[in-house]
Amino acid sequence: MQDPNRGGKPSKVEGVKLKSEYLKLPLLDESRNDLDHFTEEAITLLKFHGSYQQDHRDLRTQLKREGKDKAFSMMVRVRIPGGKLTAAQHLACDELARTVGNDSLRITTRQEYQLHGVMKEDLATTIQRINATLLSTLAACGDVERNVLSCPAPLRDGVRDAMQVDTDRFASHFAPRSASYFDLWLDGEKVESSLLPTAGPALIPTAGDDAVEPIYGPSYLPRKFKTAFSLPEDNCTDVYANDLGYLAVVENGVLVGYDVLVGGGLGTTPSADKTFPALSKPLCFVTREQILAIGEAIIKVYRDFGNRSDRKRARLKYVIHDWGMPAFRAKVEEYIGRPLDDPRGVQVTGVEDHLGWHEQGDGKLFLGIPIENGRLKDVGAHRVLSGLQTFFTKYGTDARLTCSQSILLINLEPAWKADIEALLVEYGIAQVEKVSMVRRWSMACPALPTCGLAVTEAERALPTIMDRLEIELEKLGLTEERFTVRMTGCPNGCARPYNSDIGLVGRSAVKNADGTPGPGTYTIFLAGSTLGGRLNVEYKDYVPFDQVVPELVPIFARFKDERHSGEGFGDFCHRVGVEAPVETI
Ligand code: SRM
Ligand code: SF4
């Protein structure tokens, strides 16, 4: 087999990982010094422990002009497999947001909470406090298995609960096993948590295995690795965007196994043709008992053959692209030591956001609350952070975070409904009926001012795009249309813009007339799908922020006039073709 991924000189990051003695050095010393920031090597390792060093981008130019250093702070990501959260865990994160963070919590597109604005001196206590609630930050970032996704809806249908059990087994099995995390932040104490790494040897022993990290080895993976569990009729975890996907196979109401999909990933660099977004494709079928073994085989093939010299081309999708699926499958069979069963061919047919009131099937209710771009904070009369704090303090029930940046309040007694609705009104928290369809199905990444890679605005800009789109869709009589709009501040794809109906991807920074930074220009992508199973295509590049909605209006007008009955917006754009400007399609 040709192996285009090996060979090159290992990247600098590979050297840092290898030298670190399982993610410990030089982070151990640096986490205890008095500086307000880490060195580059420590920053690389810090990610594996769940934190990114950032600086306040709004202040950068001014501080530079004044000859001052950047305003450093840490983003802390809390690992929450399947988005499952207790009231106590939420309240601990809320308290951290208010005491050491920037007064906000951010629900991510992978069912986690992020704290922003944590000072380096507060990092250790923040991580300790998170662990004390039996959550973790271990492996929330870094070149390892990331937070494992699962449908968060607490529907007692016999399938979703079973899938959450599989999700937790998977998350524990693939958590890093070295003691560094505990030595660094918890004085060597291991807390009793279901998120703890599984102990013991690997399930599929291979030549590349290691005593401390039997699955990953001392250099961990070539790059991040993402896994999602999903359902054909409800692809709310966006299974196709993941390196590894388990798409449920249900027979007579029983979860019998999964079709395994591989090779999804959205990051791309427009100037480098060698990079591209890709959706995962079917590899095989496995029973529930086989999910860890197949996961190990795939991850170990990736560990051993992924590109360790060029980090831009290091995700699993490139191994599969370069080898082809048959060769990849053969290698996985070699690792697992048996022929793989063909996939059952289940197809994604639906997607839910789980917002609004629903019966769970056990006499209780759950309520999905839309959170604009996942940001829990208090702004004027809209006191979302405080409203949720009051709710969890009063009711003490559990919650779930969704992959579309919203929260589900679960296990609610029907008798509480009126009181909960009154509480939401008191705190200015809109229920889903008050939110337009277009806003409900939109999301943006954080971008400026926290993300070090952002070139344009996203989270702070999408609400304006939504205001404008709402007006135009109202005029066209399209307010009830369901389609996804996803915006990011750079091409890395964190809000999954490349398989949405409309993707708005930050392209270049632009200054306002007075010299202050403006929101920037965007690439408009069209013709993806609400179900997540089709990549969209570039429609127009370098579109100034104020032109984004005017560019979309004629396409909506045409959609209104020419759509087939029941046809969605992305499907329409796909059918008519949108690579050329709208006048000529
Ligand atoms: Fe992401 C990097 C935020 C989901 C692809 N992502 C980043 C960083 C850490 C920036 C950095 O490296 O310095 C961002 C931190 C911003 C901030 O201020 O918080 C960041 N990514 C996010 C979140 C918070 C966006 C959100 O709106 O919720 C999501 C956190 C998920 C989580 O809880 O783990 C987030 N990132 C994603 C997704 C979507 C997904 O996984 O479903 C993707 C596309 C799927 C994929 O991985 O291919 C994604 N993030 C990236 C990439 C491009 C990776 C690549 O293969 O090229 C980067 C850049 C990198 O890794 O070098 C990145
Ligand atoms: Fe940052 Fe880009 Fe990800 Fe947005 S898409 S959070 S700007 S890396």
Side-chain angles (χ1 to χ4, degrees), residues 330-461:
K331 194 47 107 183
V332 174
E333 288 179 334
E334 184 189 316
Y335 271 53
I336 203 166
R338 66 171 176 86
L340 297 178
D341 296 325
D342 285 339
R344 298 278 173 92
V346 280
Q347 300 292 324
V348 167
T349 54
V351 60
E352 302 290 336
D353 61 8
H354 304 298
L355 300 184
W357 286 98
H358 302 271
E359 290 183 4
Q360 294 185 174
D362 57 1
K364 299 204 169 155
L365 303 177
F366 77 91
L367 171 64
I369 301 179
I371 304 293
E372 191 156 28
N373 301 321
R375 185 69 68 178
L376 305 180
K377 64 177 177 183
D378 292 352
V379 184
H382 302 290
R383 292 177 297 140
V384 181
L385 192 67
S386 294
L388 288 175
Q389 184 197 43
T390 303
F391 169 82
F392 285 110
T393 308
K394 179 168 180 194
Y395 292 97
T397 44
D398 293 346
R400 301 273 172 95
L401 305 181
T402 76
C403 294
S404 44
Q405 304 171 327
S406 286
I407 189 166
L408 313 182
L409 310 179
I410 74 167
N411 299 336
L412 308 176
E413 296 294 344
W416 300 345
K417 193 172 173 185
D419 278 353
I420 292 172
E421 293 198 325
L423 186 152
L424 296 179
V425 171
E426 184 189 339
Y427 284 89
I429 302 174
Q431 288 207 52
V432 70
E433 298 76 21
K434 293 264 160 56
V435 175
S436 70
M437 196 64 104
V438 64
R439 201 177 294 260
R440 171 175 176 173
W441 286 88
S442 72
M443 54 186 188
C445 72
L448 297 169
T450 53
C451 179
L453 304 178
V455 286
T456 67
E457 296 284 355
E459 183 183 325
R460 296 193 296 197

Side-chain angles (χ1 to χ4, degrees), residues 177 200-202 206 208-217 296 300 303:
R177 300 182 186 191
T206 60
D209 288 1
D210 172 270
V212 178
E213 290 285 9
I215 297 172
Y216 295 128
E296 250 195 46
K300 286 181 173 179
R303 175 195 71 191

Side-chain angles (χ1 to χ4, degrees), residues 125-294:
T125 44
T126 302
I127 293 177
Q128 284 156 16
R129 182 81 182 90
I130 289 165
N131 277 267
T133 70
L134 308 188
L135 287 174
S136 181
T137 63
L138 172 64
C141 326
D143 296 344
V144 282
E145 174 68 56
R146 298 292 191 89
N147 196 43
V148 184
L149 309 183
S150 205
C151 174
L155 295 166
R156 309 302 178 204
D157 54 9
V159 175
R160 283 176 169 85
D161 284 345
M163 213 164 75
Q164 283 281 4
V165 169
D166 291 346
T167 302
D168 288 349
R169 277 168 58 219
F170 193 92
S172 300
H173 188 72
F174 290 98
R177 300 182 186 191
S178 116
S180 297
Y181 180 77
F182 305 95
D183 292 344
L184 248 113
W185 311 108
L186 304 168
D187 296 328
E189 294 258 324
K190 280 200 177 176
V191 284
E192 284 303 313
S193 164
S194 60
L195 297 184
L196 266 188
T198 310
L203 286 176
I204 313 250
T206 60
D209 288 1
D210 172 270
V212 178
E213 290 285 9
I215 297 172
Y216 295 128
S219 302
Y220 293 82
L221 296 178
R223 206 63 163 82
K224 59 180 81 170
F225 192 89
K226 298 183 172 179
T227 299
F229 286 78
S230 198
L231 293 155
E233 70 278 13
D234 176 12
N235 183 27
C236 66
T237 59
D238 228 338
V239 69
Y240 297 115
N242 286 263
D243 297 274
L244 174 57
Y246 290 92
L247 191 54
V249 176
V250 179
E251 287 173 2
N252 302 319
V254 177
L255 177 65
V256 295
Y258 299 93
D259 269 2
V260 176
L261 313 181
V262 286
L266 300 184
T268 180
T269 307
S271 57
D273 285 349
K274 64 182 178 181
T275 67
F276 45 81
L279 299 180
S280 61
K281 297 191 180 56
L283 173 75
C284 63
F285 167 81
V286 291
T287 62
R288 291 184 65 196
E289 288 66 41
Q290 294 167 334
I291 59 168
L292 301 183
I294 190 71

Side-chain angles (χ1 to χ4, degrees), residues 47 52 54 75 77 106-112 114 116 140 146-147 149 223-224 226 241-242 264-268 315 317 405 444-447 450-453 492-496:
K47 296 178 188 175
Y52 275 73
Q54 303 185 319
M75 175 268 270
R77 197 178 273 170
R106 179 63 157 60
I107 306 173
T108 74
T109 51
R110 295 192 73 78
Q111 301 182 291
E112 298 184 283
Q114 278 187 187
H116 286 106
R146 298 292 191 89
N147 196 43
L149 309 183
R223 206 63 163 82
K224 59 180 81 170
K226 298 183 172 179
N242 286 263
L266 300 184
T268 180
R315 293 290 291 273
K317 63 185 174 182
Q405 304 171 327
C445 72
T450 53
C451 179
L453 304 178
N492 279 319
C494 296
R496 299 190 291 268

